[in-house]
Amino acid sequence: MAEKPSEEPRPESAAPPDDAWEQFLRDSEAGVPASAPKEPSARARMVTERLRALDEAQAAAAGRKGRRFGRSRPVAPARPEGWRTGPAWRETDGRASRRRTVWSVVGVLTAAALAVVAVNPSAALSWLPGGLGGGGADASGASASGVDASGVETSPLAPETARPTAAPGEAEGIPTRERPFTGSPAARWEAGADAIRLPRAKAVNGVPAARIEEALRGTKEFLAAANLDPAVLKGGEPVKALALVDPLEADYLADLRAAVRRPTEDNDPVSAFTRFDPEEVDLVGDVRVRGRMTVAPDTAAEGRALITADYTFVYGVARVGGDETTRVIVRRVLQVDAADPSRYQGTEGRLWIRDLASEIGNDDCREGDGLINPSFFSDLLSASPQAGETRDPYDRSTSVSREDECGVVSRT
């Protein structure tokens, strides 16, 4: 059963103070040629009126409850007759849960974006997520954008071998169809399934090296099938990914299939599979990937190991029939059980999924349509402010959120 949506106080809007806006307006006007008319344009007056309305709406919303979305549903797998050859593969209280946290691109940026577009359109570019303001570099001193001062792309980052200690630096530029990762740390990330590297397989906690290697390969195949398969990305059924799940996890597998075929608010397939509407957005460029996979002993029992795959996938997307381009950032943390086949029974060549948690950056937070719906910069001009925590979707130094909620991304 889905958890009931919990209600928590909506945080107050992080609107800039009046004196900061006045200083900004003075600085912007100082850069306008003397020949320019001093009277505000009709568009500026319209935007000012919209800002006033937004401020009134935000003030009215202060103290009201925010909406959180129930997304975590424990699944107790069935235990078929005669399946045990040793201790239970999973204890009776074992769980295979799926969680999805959504981070919208609208929100605290909306009012600021409206003002900048009205007063100084060129400055608006620097306020775009990953826009022209701020260079930033990683620990090696290389540009986070992957492009040096002469416009030549730099080499990709070395593979991730441990959790980063901080978020990547800011990057310069705005995305286009031809270069969708300009302005993103993902410009220096590797592309596709080759970026999902497997650690060296060795025996762990009584689980033979061969079994560990099989589970590692299956974990990579599942991640690729769920997040890189072109047919799935265009809204298709994740046939390959579903075929990798152990049929002994009957309830969990049935739940995944039902989500794909009949999405609901409480059972949305984007919790596990990356899918877009091909009638609304075009996928442009390759998919950038960064993360790592680890193996650790299961401290609860001898003969079991836990594989944890923590990967972030970045997708360039553009409006169908248009040039406006943005990015969607999806982080998946997949946990898979590997067990000694002489002591525990499982289906050969299949995965026993213990847990799958997700964060989706730049989704409009619609629930139940089975698709990720990205927001573009122009959408900010008509969007209402989004409440919720603000997070950097590229920050892999923190654990994935375990809350079921909709928040705000600081950049795309």
Side-chain angles (χ1 to χ4, degrees):
M1 172 179 287
E3 294 178 352
K4 293 182 180 179
S6 62
E7 293 187 343
E8 295 186 4
R10 180 189 299 248
E12 295 183 3
S13 172
D18 292 340
D19 56 351
W21 278 115
E22 292 172 0
Q23 181 62 45
F24 170 74
L25 292 173
R26 287 195 297 270
D27 292 344
S28 298
E29 191 166 316
V32 179
S35 59
K38 298 298 182 181
E39 182 178 354
S41 66
R43 175 170 178 75
R45 291 194 299 271
M46 177 190 71
V47 174
T48 300
E49 176 63 23
R50 178 172 292 174
L51 281 171
R52 184 191 62 77
L54 284 172
D55 289 340
E56 291 178 355
Q58 289 176 329
R64 282 193 281 181
K65 303 290 186 180
R67 184 181 181 191
R68 292 179 181 270
F69 301 93
R71 177 60 60 184
S72 174
R73 293 187 319 287
V75 178
R79 303 169 79 179
E81 183 79 22
W83 77 309
R84 190 194 303 218
T85 60
W89 169 262
R90 184 177 305 278
E91 314 303 338
T92 55
D93 62 347
R95 302 185 185 279
S97 60
R98 294 182 299 122
R99 301 176 178 87
R100 171 199 178 198
T101 300
V102 187
W103 308 96
S104 165
V105 75
V106 300
V108 295
L109 299 177
T110 305
L114 287 168
V116 175
V117 170
V119 178
N120 191 346
S122 63
L125 295 178
S126 66
W127 282 49
L128 279 165
L132 294 175
D138 59 21
S140 67
S143 169
S145 69
V147 180
D148 63 20
S150 62
V152 178
E153 291 203 5
T154 57
S155 59
L157 292 174
E160 184 177 291
T161 57
R163 175 176 288 180
T165 58
E170 294 292 330
E172 296 183 352
I174 57 175
T176 64
R177 276 183 173 265
E178 293 73 26
R179 302 186 69 162
F181 301 105
T182 297
S184 164
R188 296 195 61 200
W189 293 7
E190 295 177 291
D194 289 343
I196 305 176
R197 289 182 168 80
L198 305 183
R200 185 173 66 86
K202 60 182 180 180
V204 176
N205 197 32
V207 184
R211 177 69 186 101
I212 295 292
E213 182 175 8
E214 179 186 32
L216 287 170
R217 293 187 181 279
T219 301
K220 175 176 179 175
E221 290 176 14
F222 182 88
L223 287 171
N227 301 284
L228 299 174
D229 186 326
V232 177
L233 296 180
K234 295 179 181 179
E237 183 173 355
V239 177
K240 296 177 182 177
L242 291 170
L244 288 167
V245 180
D246 196 319
L248 295 177
E249 284 195 287
D251 291 343
Y252 182 53
L253 186 56
D255 196 43
L256 288 175
R257 286 174 172 158
V260 172
R261 294 168 185 172
R262 296 178 298 278
T264 67
E265 183 173 319
D266 292 328
N267 193 18
D268 197 315
V270 296
S271 296
F273 311 114
T274 304
R275 307 164 82 226
F276 299 93
D277 185 350
E279 296 185 359
E280 296 291 333
V281 298
D282 291 329
L283 289 161
V284 292
D286 46 24
V287 180
R288 299 300 171 93
V289 184
R290 188 156 182 82
R292 65 194 180 281
M293 198 179 304
T294 60
V295 184
D298 186 336
T299 56
E302 182 72 19
R304 294 197 308 208
L306 180 64
I307 294 171
T308 300
D310 181 347
Y311 284 88
T312 298
F313 302 85
V314 183
Y315 306 86
V317 293
R319 290 190 190 275
V320 168
D323 292 326
E324 191 174 6
T325 305
T326 187
R327 290 176 288 265
V328 170
I329 304 94
V330 178
R331 185 178 177 186
R332 309 279 191 195
V333 179
L334 173 66
Q335 292 186 326
V336 171
D337 279 335
D340 179 0
S342 68
R343 304 172 64 181
Y344 300 90
Q345 183 174 346
T347 305
E348 185 176 358
R350 304 296 181 88
L351 296 180
W352 193 285
I353 296 177
R354 178 182 295 193
D355 189 75
L356 177 53
S358 302
E359 288 182 353
I360 302 176
N362 191 13
D363 184 12
D364 68 359
C365 295
R366 273 184 278 174
E367 299 285 330
D369 64 354
L371 301 166
I372 296 173
N373 302 288
S375 296
F376 295 85
F377 182 71
S378 61
D379 296 327
L380 299 177
L381 300 177
S382 59
S384 299
Q386 175 67 53
E389 179 185 358
T390 300
R391 290 189 59 158
D392 182 349
Y394 291 99
D395 188 355
R396 295 183 43 77
S397 66
T398 61
S399 299
V400 68
S401 173
R402 309 305 292 186
E403 299 296 328
D404 302 320
E405 62 181 338
C406 183
V408 182
V409 292
S410 60
R411 56 176 170 173
T412 64

